[in-house]
Amino acid sequence: MEKTSQYIAIGLVVAAVLYLLSPGFQHVIANPSRWVLQAQFMYLTGTITMVLMILTMLPSLRLSRLNTWFNGLDKAYGVHKWTGIFTSVFVVIHWRGDKIPLAL
């Protein structure tokens, strides 16, 4: 697995663990209504977006250990670019999640 995909996968796993440890996950299981599902979808995509934004900023700090792990500064900026793209995708998904009509 390439370093970029590993880095993004780590971010998605961290976001999923944060979501599963939140009280909202238990609320969905106890009360699976459309309003609750939409609210928890918004929370999940927001959590993923925030974790990916944090991971996007780390390579731009030019930490020597991260640059060594990414095999150079140029590769670290490539990771920065791709995590930024994934973050933008999840921002759009988060925004569209609020626009889903609940009266289906």
Side-chain angles (χ1 to χ4, degrees):
M1 197 188 232
E2 189 182 335
K3 295 284 185 186
T4 305
S5 55
Q6 285 178 351
Y7 195 66
I8 292 171
I10 288 169
L12 293 175
V13 167
V14 167
V17 167
L18 285 174
Y19 175 72
L20 291 174
L21 292 176
S22 73
F25 179 68
Q26 287 86 18
H27 189 62
V28 168
I29 294 172
N31 183 18
S33 68
R34 289 184 180 174
W35 291 98
V36 172
L37 289 175
Q38 182 188 23
Q40 292 307 308
F41 176 77
M42 296 293 292
Y43 182 71
L44 176 63
T45 56
T47 303
I48 290 171
T49 301
M50 290 303 295
V51 169
L52 285 178
M53 278 197 276
I54 292 167
L55 290 179
T56 299
M57 294 309 296
L58 286 178
S60 65
L61 292 176
R62 297 188 199 171
L63 300 173
S64 61
R65 289 188 186 213
L66 272 178
N67 289 339
T68 304
W69 190 64
F70 290 131
N71 299 325
L73 185 62
D74 57 334
K75 303 266 190 328
Y77 278 121
V79 170
H80 173 78
K81 177 185 84 169
W82 281 105
T83 54
I85 290 170
F86 272 87
T87 302
S88 301
V89 167
F90 276 101
V91 164
V92 171
I93 292 170
H94 179 75
W95 173 72
R96 289 300 299 162
D98 189 37
K99 307 297 180 195
I100 295 172
L102 292 175
L104 294 175

